[in-house]
Amino acid sequence: MQLDKERIKSDFERKLISLFAEDIKDASRLHKYVALGEIIKEYTFENWLKSNKKYIKGDVKQIYYFSMEFLIGRLLENNLINLGIRDLVAEALDDLGLSLEELEMEERDAGLGNGGLGRLAACFLDSMASLGISGHGNGIRYKYGLFEQKIVNGYQVEVPDNWLKDGYVWEVRRADRAVIVNFGGNVRFDIVDGRLKAIHENYESVLAVPYDVPVVGYGNNVVNTLRLWSAEPVGSEFDFSSFSMGDYARAMEYKYSVESITSVLYPDDRTEKGRMLRLKQEYFFVSAGVQSIVRTYKKKGKPIKHFAKYCAIHINDTHPALAIPELMRILIDEENLTWEEAWDITVNTMAYTNHTIMAEALEKWSVDMFKSLLPRIWTIVEEINRRFCQELVEKYKDDWKRIDEMLIIKDGFVKMANLAIVGSHSVNGVAKLHTKILKEQELKLFNEYYTGKFNNKTNGITHRRWLLDSNPKLARLLNETIGDGWIKNPNQLIEFKKFAKDKSIQQKFEAVKQSNKIELSRFIKNRYGINVDPDSIFDIQAKRLHGYKRQLLNALHILDLYNRLKENRNLDIYPRTFIFSAKAFPGYVLAKEIIKFINTLANKINNDEDIDDKIKVVFLENYGVSLAEKIIPCANVSEQISTASKEASGTGNMKFMMNGAITIGTLDGANVEIKEAVGDENIVIFGMTADEVIELYKNGSYKSLELYYSDERIKRVIDQLMNGYLDVPGSEFMNIYNHLITNNDEFFVLKDFYAYADAQMKIDNLFRDKSKWNEMAIINVASSGIFSSDNTIKRYAEDIWGIDV
Ligand SMILES: *Cc1c(COP(=O)(O)O)cnc(C)c1O
């Protein structure tokens, strides 16, 4: 498509009229954004159509990435850059007296995810499209995204995220491609044409309507699809008979119960709430997705037996694991294949990514609920389990202890991880350390049984969003220094390393960082009235709030630092701004108390004139993709301080590194690989190792109370939590106290306290040598290319999906 400024201007003005009957003078900023978004979306349509047509005709294997979450953020800037028309559009708008940046702010974040897992799915979509892979997303169009966080009097308050209120520019509703998903009822077996057939009856049907979002590749004319499903009443089943009898309430009840399936995102990424609605959500989007994939495949006119050759389904954690029995159902009940044929296709189609080793986060469903909600799927899972059990007995004879642990159905529960492992040809962890722990500990028995099924695929982030889009000044410096080849091939970032010691590049790098920090300082001043010094060290911890991520360690260290400053006004520390941003699960009492603690601390410290502004504490509310894009480019220090063994990979760590922050971190998740990449001298590592943590859990010898009594600095901060020192009643932080002392400090916050304090001192010292610090930062940027999700996706493609890139 040939685009020039004049065409963009006239398209834009015409769109304003056709949508709203307004001209530029009358239209609100929102309307201008909508009109702009609509024309940009239309610019993707020609290539979108081409990509779709190519599939029906061609022989290219299609990859379907199933994920309960896609944490997309905004799309306008991203799409403009990937289409290669960002500057052209900015100039066109400028001619019309409009600012692209201002219009971009009108877009609401699509926050259809909780954190890392959902953001990973979004990064993968960008990389698949940009690498020219036919890879598509399959998920849920939640009416409400992750809650919006407001901080009121230091407390987190949750506000519903009604993100669709003004419509969503980037989607296309495709009612003609809707499918039906059935729940409940009963199953009986009958002989039909000499074959045993399952007959599912008396179910309730729900209409699954797809909303497609184009996923634009970078500079390659590829447009893939993110398909998000919305639940609606089935036309004929909207109970008009009861409606006409005057039972309006009953009719509305059905409508409401159906729509509730896709109304809210569960605001929790680590533990299962065990709610029927959640299971309904999972089956809903998986069934709709698999049905539509099979339907599209059949349009190609190829035999169903070759399905796995042309389609791969990847399941992001166990939430979509019902794709396994659902594909079995379709192949057996609808395509009339035998069990063995269907199983062979299913296992070859499916691959599973494990995201956690935390036992409490492993999904399981009660058999009673499963059976009543999904009776046909239940009979299939039962049969998968029966056959698997038979195999195990053949191999392990009467080693029941081993067999019990591997079964899919056990003690009245369906274990989703076991189902996912048995039904997939590949199981991957998300960082080397995580995969090692999976293979040697959590899933050891499975790894012994299925040699070769387990593999590692370290997570990644798209360098286009997390560097090119979000840090344009650093991107420009890179282009000037090493050329722009890194945008297509992120491995070229390593060229930047040659300039690490170059004084003029160091200065330019520092100027970029400084200018980003000044911008953030202004934002903080405007929004919170807090003066922060852009010359101070910007030390940032931004991620979900969780015990294992140890924001509490960071906060207690700040309190200790404050104590030492109060004791000694001449204490020589480099001025530092500690920035936090984190949402807590609404029912997670400890996490919410930690937010209140951080804000209380901030209030006390920021208003204390004794300490000469040497430290400042800022909590930025409502962490999400857009805020992350704003703050990560400003970091000098990246806090990645989880209890070793707990953070499967982390991806925030990679984003900060890519923007030239120095990591202070534990040897956990991908931090281990960041250390390998940058070298020991360009990262600050502290604390217990994963082996030590696991050993200490096993032998139970840790006693936090002993630490409390034996160490003055630790005792002082704990006492200050409880004795009113922070100008709030001690009861305010009761749960933190109980967590650390009464319940023995599950995440070793106190145990790692001094190691962390020493590491922070090391940071303080390093920062004083500006040239050395800039050199370290440049090495971090230069070494971050291997963490581009382009690399991750290439490895998935070659090792798991069996396609060439
Ligand atoms: C990258 C990202 C995360 C994941 O951060 P971790 O530090 O890996 O936990 C969470 N939320 C948002 C908005 C992100 O962009």
Side-chain angles (χ1 to χ4, degrees):
M1 183 175 27
Q2 219 28 63
L3 275 181
D4 56 52
K5 225 162 60 168
E6 295 312 314
R7 158 123 189 241
I8 292 168
K9 285 196 284 198
S10 73
D11 286 352
F12 175 74
E13 289 181 297
R14 223 165 322 146
K15 187 56 82 178
L16 261 184
I17 294 172
S18 71
L19 284 175
F20 306 112
E22 288 172 341
D23 62 17
I24 291 174
K25 213 157 75 311
D26 304 332
S28 66
R29 205 182 276 171
L30 174 67
H31 281 182
K32 287 176 205 150
Y33 159 72
V34 171
L36 179 63
E38 286 290 342
I39 67 166
I40 304 303
K41 178 173 71 179
E42 284 168 23
Y43 294 158
T44 72
F45 279 4
E46 219 172 281
N47 283 327
W48 203 8
L49 177 66
K50 260 189 226 152
S51 296
N52 289 335
K53 280 264 194 298
K54 208 168 87 195
Y55 171 50
I56 299 296
K57 292 216 193 78
D59 275 349
V60 181
K61 188 171 185 176
Q62 303 292 301
I63 313 302
Y64 298 98
Y65 196 82
F66 278 37
S67 181
M68 194 87 180
E69 304 187 3
F70 286 91
L71 192 50
I72 299 163
R74 292 181 176 137
L75 278 179
L76 179 54
E77 172 81 3
N78 189 248
N79 285 345
L80 289 174
I81 288 185
N82 284 8
L83 288 166
I85 56 173
R86 198 239 169 235
D87 293 342
L88 197 61
V89 169
E91 285 163 29
L93 291 173
D94 197 46
D95 282 2
L96 299 170
L98 299 172
S99 144
L100 173 60
E101 269 149 40
E102 259 176 42
L103 297 194
E104 282 175 346
M105 301 293 283
E106 290 296 312
E107 179 170 4
R108 295 188 67 123
D109 271 37
L112 309 182
N114 276 288
L117 175 145
R119 184 54 232 175
L120 183 76
C123 284
F124 280 5
L125 292 180
D126 182 71
S127 284
M128 287 192 291
S130 297
L131 291 168
I133 294 173
S134 288
H136 315 286
N138 186 72
I140 296 177
R141 182 180 180 270
Y142 300 102
K143 188 165 176 218
Y144 295 92
L146 183 60
F147 67 87
E148 190 185 322
Q149 178 196 53
K150 295 219 187 299
I151 300 296
V152 179
N153 189 24
Y155 298 100
Q156 164 174 301
V157 174
E158 301 96 21
V159 180
D161 169 36
N162 192 2
W163 71 293
L164 291 168
K165 186 165 55 89
D166 301 311
Y168 187 52
V169 170
W170 303 107
E171 67 186 7
V172 177
R173 177 183 160 94
R174 298 204 191 275
D176 57 318
R177 318 254 170 111
V179 299
I180 289 192
V181 178
N182 297 323
F183 292 100
N186 54 282
V187 174
R188 63 184 173 82
F189 289 87
D190 212 344
I191 306 288
V192 180
D193 299 332
R195 280 192 59 191
L196 191 63
K197 268 209 102 114
I199 296 155
H200 186 191
E201 307 169 308
N202 304 318
Y203 44 74
E204 186 178 90
S205 293
V206 173
L207 192 68
V209 180
Y211 286 73
D212 288 352
V213 178
V215 180
V216 181
Y218 178 81
N220 64 357
N221 297 324
V222 170
V223 182
N224 289 334
T225 301
L226 167 58
R227 177 159 280 185
L228 300 173
W229 297 94
S230 181
E232 295 183 11
V234 177
S236 61
E237 299 211 356
F238 191 106
D239 207 338
F240 282 109
S241 54
S242 60
F243 186 77
S244 56
M245 281 178 343
D247 194 353
Y248 181 75
R250 232 179 74 203
M252 290 317 284
E253 215 170 277
Y254 165 68
K255 181 173 148 63
Y256 179 76
S257 85
V258 167
E259 287 171 356
S260 70
I261 296 173
T262 51
S263 79
V264 288
L265 167 80
Y266 276 74
D268 188 1
D269 60 346
R270 299 290 293 214
T271 58
E272 222 21 79
K273 299 303 292 170
R275 299 258 300 274
M276 173 94 95
L277 187 58
R278 172 83 175 194
L279 183 58
K280 244 180 167 173
Q281 289 186 328
E282 292 185 358
Y283 183 65
F284 171 78
F285 92 98
V286 152
S287 172
V290 176
Q291 287 187 59
S292 94
I293 291 166
V294 172
R295 185 184 55 198
T296 314
Y297 173 74
K298 288 175 75 177
K299 274 201 227 152
K300 286 165 80 85
K302 301 242 193 245
I304 195 74
K305 285 182 181 160
H306 294 169
F307 182 79
K309 199 172 150 205
Y310 296 101
C311 298
I313 295 179
H314 203 100
I315 60 183
N316 193 22
D317 212 325
T318 57
H319 321 131
L322 293 173
I324 292 160
E326 176 65 4
L327 182 57
M328 288 295 286
R329 181 189 72 77
I330 294 171
L331 295 176
I332 293 170
D333 295 358
E334 293 173 15
E335 301 300 323
N336 295 311
L337 297 187
T338 64
W339 180 277
E340 289 75 14
E341 290 167 329
W343 185 245
D344 188 54
I345 292 170
T346 299
V347 173
N348 282 314
T349 301
M350 302 290 169
Y352 156 56
T353 296
N354 174 291
H355 282 270
T356 180
I357 57 161
M358 293 179 101
E360 68 271 24
L362 289 177
E363 265 192 313
K364 55 180 200 229
W365 300 109
S366 89
V367 165
D368 290 343
M369 190 171 81
F370 198 105
K371 222 181 200 168
S372 71
L373 189 66
L374 308 167
R376 175 56 182 140
I377 295 299
W378 163 253
T379 61
I380 292 170
V381 172
E382 224 181 0
E383 181 65 8
I384 295 173
N385 186 54
R386 192 186 66 78
R387 287 172 184 244
F388 181 54
C389 185
Q390 235 168 27
E391 282 177 34
L392 292 175
V393 171
E394 262 170 52
K395 179 148 180 182
Y396 298 122
K397 306 293 184 286
D398 54 358
D399 186 352
W400 286 107
K401 199 168 160 284
R402 177 185 287 261
I403 293 171
D404 266 2
E405 206 177 306
M406 296 175 76
L407 291 177
I408 297 165
I409 303 166
K410 182 80 211 323
D411 298 335
F413 286 96
V414 181
K415 295 163 82 175
M416 298 294 270
N418 296 17
L419 173 64
I421 296 166
V422 174
S424 305
H425 66 280
S426 165
V427 178
N428 73 282
V430 290
K432 283 184 199 164
L433 175 66
H434 170 62
T435 303
K436 184 168 148 28
I437 295 173
L438 286 181
K439 284 165 86 165
E440 292 175 4
Q441 314 208 22
E442 305 310 305
L443 302 176
K444 180 160 178 274
L445 301 185
F446 283 102
N447 187 44
E448 284 167 4
Y449 185 69
Y450 292 117
T451 34
K453 199 184 259 201
F454 286 75
N455 61 89
N456 179 56
K457 295 287 168 283
T458 300
N459 282 165
I461 55 167
T462 166
H463 60 287
R464 283 169 292 272
R465 180 176 292 262
W466 296 108
L467 175 50
L468 182 64
D469 301 1
S470 64
N471 198 346
K473 295 179 188 120
L474 181 55
R476 209 172 304 130
L477 175 60
L478 286 164
N479 290 345
E480 286 162 15
T481 316
I482 60 169
D484 63 3
W486 61 274
I487 301 171
K488 282 248 176 198
N489 180 5
N491 296 341
Q492 287 183 22
L493 283 172
I494 200 71
E495 302 290 320
F496 197 41
K497 198 171 173 178
K498 288 186 199 135
F499 300 89
K501 285 184 191 296
D502 182 322
K503 291 281 189 279
S504 89
I505 299 296
Q506 286 180 0
Q507 270 162 21
K508 285 184 184 164
F509 175 82
E510 191 178 332
V512 166
K513 184 65 81 181
Q514 191 64 14
S515 134
N516 291 336
K517 285 166 75 179
I518 289 169
E519 242 173 78
L520 184 61
S521 305
R522 278 199 203 113
F523 171 78
I524 290 171
K525 175 74 190 165
N526 286 339
R527 184 74 159 263
Y528 301 102
I530 302 171
N531 284 312
V532 304
D533 176 6
D535 291 327
S536 65
I537 302 173
F538 276 28
D539 176 322
I540 308 186
Q541 185 168 21
K543 49 182 74 244
R544 280 302 283 264
L545 212 137
H546 216 292
Y548 83 88
K549 290 178 183 280
R550 299 202 293 192
Q551 282 92 351
L552 187 53
L553 174 58
N554 189 346
L556 288 175
H557 170 257
I558 295 169
L559 179 53
D560 176 66
L561 190 60
Y562 175 63
N563 288 333
R564 285 185 285 141
L565 271 172
K566 293 284 277 186
E567 263 174 6
N568 172 13
R569 282 188 67 160
N570 298 320
L571 185 72
D572 182 25
I573 65 160
Y574 202 96
R576 205 184 296 215
T577 302
F578 293 97
I579 298 171
F580 292 85
S581 195
K583 287 179 182 174
F585 172 60
Y588 191 174
V589 176
L590 175 68
K592 294 177 96 168
E593 224 172 82
I594 293 171
I595 290 179
K596 172 66 177 171
F597 175 43
I598 294 167
N599 284 307
T600 307
L601 199 58
N603 209 25
K604 180 143 187 106
I605 293 176
N606 297 344
N607 296 310
D608 186 338
E609 285 169 10
D610 285 357
I611 58 167
D612 303 328
D613 292 335
K614 276 190 186 152
I615 50 178
K616 284 278 159 78
V617 182
V618 181
F619 189 101
L620 299 175
E621 62 200 334
N622 203 34
Y623 190 55
V625 172
S626 288
L627 187 61
E629 289 178 49
K630 191 205 262 310
I631 66 184
I632 290 172
C634 307
N636 298 117
V637 177
S638 159
E639 297 274 352
Q640 307 300 335
I641 61 177
S642 54
T643 311
S645 80
K646 297 287 182 187
E647 187 75 89
S649 164
T651 48
N653 46 3
M654 302 167 184
K655 298 169 197 162
F656 280 99
M657 166 206 199
M658 190 173 272
N659 284 276
I662 308 303
T663 304
I664 179 169
T666 47
L667 282 176
D668 200 16
N671 295 353
V672 177
E673 288 156 76
I674 293 178
K675 173 174 167 283
E676 279 171 24
V678 299
D680 295 0
E681 65 285 9
N682 298 305
I683 187 167
V684 177
I685 295 291
F686 73 95
M688 299 167 77
T689 64
D691 287 342
E692 287 165 359
V693 166
I694 291 165
E695 176 56 32
L696 205 47
Y697 279 132
K698 270 192 202 142
N699 75 30
S701 65
Y702 175 56
K703 300 276 182 293
S704 64
L705 191 64
E706 287 170 12
L707 258 179
Y708 169 80
Y709 279 122
S710 64
D711 187 278
E712 257 173 56
R713 269 163 71 188
I714 287 180
K715 183 164 186 306
R716 179 166 57 180
V717 293
I718 301 285
D719 288 348
Q720 285 170 337
L721 269 179
M722 304 301 290
N723 66 11
Y725 176 76
L726 295 169
D727 314 323
V728 293
S731 55
E732 195 75 68
F733 303 122
M734 199 64 205
N735 287 286
I736 298 179
Y737 177 83
N738 285 335
H739 172 72
L740 291 174
I741 304 297
T742 320
N743 302 326
N744 202 32
D745 187 14
E746 183 185 351
F747 299 112
F748 303 119
V749 167
L750 302 182
K751 174 98 183 143
D752 267 344
F753 182 83
Y754 278 99
Y756 180 63
D758 287 348
Q760 284 292 25
M761 233 142 64
K762 193 169 165 193
I763 291 274
D764 180 294
N765 279 322
L766 285 167
F767 197 80
R768 291 165 193 250
D769 182 347
K770 281 290 168 56
S771 166
K772 182 70 193 158
W773 184 272
N774 289 327
E775 178 188 334
M776 291 168 66
I778 289 170
I779 290 172
N780 269 268
V781 175
S783 310
S784 70
I786 58 171
F787 298 107
S788 164
S789 45
D790 286 11
N791 284 315
T792 313
I793 283 297
K794 276 186 193 161
R795 291 190 284 266
Y796 274 84
E798 283 157 21
D799 300 349
I800 300 178
W801 304 330
I803 55 174
D804 295 325
V805 184

